[in-house]
């Protein structure tokens, strides 16, 4: 089974635990501490409407427009349980100019046991929280929302990363490795958004 060598080495050194086991639906979960997790108690909602209390651990990311670019094929894989931060967004689009960059936002995910929690900070500073269950069929991914909350009373629409809640199962796909989670989804009149998340070790 593929393992995250860097994260596993750090765990051995800090005696946090080691080894891994597979669970249904293609998710990997680790014995001992979950990377970046600490106690589950810190993730429980203070109020039902807020969904979760994940800490924002990512940095602001800009989307890069690609006009006429080749959209990468997603290959599926085993999604490792853990904490992820958004590191790159490519917006495959029909509208020039190519290479145009625009603020996208800051995002942190927690994936565990076929469930996902998310906190997204818009460039405006507004915050959206999201929870859902995940189902996998090959490289296809179905996201079923269980909680959505937005600090803005106007309720911004779901951004590209969780827009598949509104799209057919086959429209959303992913690739996973021990250290990354790459997500491919349609969004509005855009051809496709590709989002790359990096898994944290701490």
């Amino acid at each position: 089974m593929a393992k995250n060598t860097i994260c596993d080495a750090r765990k051995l050194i800090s005696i946090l635990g080691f080894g891994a086991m597979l669970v249904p639906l293609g998710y990997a979960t680790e014995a001992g501490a979950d990377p970046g997790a600490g106690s589950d108690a810190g993730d429980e909602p203070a109020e039902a409407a807020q969904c979760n209390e994940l800490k924002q651990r990512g940095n602001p990311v800009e989307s890069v427009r690609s006009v006429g670019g080749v959209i990468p094929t997603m290959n599926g894989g085993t999604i490792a349980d853990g904490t992820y931060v958004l590191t790159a967004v490519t917006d495959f689009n029909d509208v020039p100019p190519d290479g145009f960059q625009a603020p996208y936002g800051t995002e942190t995910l927690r994936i565990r046991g076929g469930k996902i929690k998310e906190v997204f900070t818009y460039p405006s500073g507004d915050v959206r929280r999201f929870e859902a269950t995940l189902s996998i069929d090959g490289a296809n991914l179905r996201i079923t929302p269980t909680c959505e909350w937005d600090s803005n009373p106007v309720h911004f629409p779901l951004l590209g990363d969780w827009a598949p809640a509104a799209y057919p199962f086959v429209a959303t796909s992913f690739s996973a490795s021990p250290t990354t989670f790459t997500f491919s989804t349609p969004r509005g009149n855009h051809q496709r958004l590709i989002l790359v998340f990096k898994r944290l070790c701490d």
Side-chain angles (χ1 to χ4, degrees):
M1 183 191 67
K3 296 178 69 177
N4 183 342
T5 305
I6 296 176
C7 290
D8 287 343
R10 289 180 181 175
K11 287 177 187 174
L12 287 171
I13 292 172
S14 60
I15 320 178
L16 289 177
F18 49 88
M21 56 184 285
L22 293 178
V23 296
L25 297 179
Y27 298 93
T29 183
E30 300 176 70
D34 184 31
S39 170
D40 278 342
D43 295 337
E44 294 304 318
E47 299 177 16
Q50 292 182 344
C51 298
N52 63 67
E53 289 187 337
L54 282 179
K55 293 182 179 179
Q56 184 59 268
R57 301 180 64 183
N59 294 313
V61 173
E62 291 190 333
S63 65
V64 179
R65 182 178 298 170
S66 175
V67 179
V70 178
I71 300 174
T73 300
M74 299 290 104
N75 301 312
T78 299
I79 304 175
D81 277 5
T83 302
Y84 294 77
V85 293
L86 182 66
T87 59
V89 179
T90 304
D91 177 5
F92 289 89
N93 205 308
D94 294 326
V95 181
D98 185 56
F100 174 76
Q101 297 184 9
Y104 186 82
T106 310
E107 185 166 11
T108 298
L109 305 179
R110 170 73 50 73
I111 297 175
R112 178 180 295 158
K115 297 182 180 180
I116 189 166
K117 298 180 180 182
E118 175 249 23
V119 56
F120 186 92
T121 305
Y122 290 84
S124 65
D126 287 290
V127 175
R128 181 172 58 79
R129 295 180 180 274
F130 182 84
E131 290 187 0
T133 57
L134 304 178
S135 300
I136 293 174
D137 181 9
N140 294 326
L141 188 67
R142 183 192 299 276
I143 297 177
T144 304
T146 56
C147 183
E148 298 175 38
W149 179 85
D150 202 310
S151 65
N152 190 308
V154 176
H155 296 300
F156 291 125
L158 288 176
L159 290 182
D161 38 353
W162 306 123
Y167 289 98
F169 192 16
V170 295
T172 302
S173 55
F174 75 98
S175 289
S177 76
T179 58
T180 61
F181 173 49
T182 302
F183 191 80
S184 175
T185 182
R187 178 190 176 195
N189 61 352
H190 303 216
Q191 287 186 332
R192 189 156 287 266
L193 280 179
I194 305 293
L195 300 102
V196 179
F197 295 86
K198 177 182 178 181
R199 183 176 171 227
L200 303 178
C201 292
D202 56 347

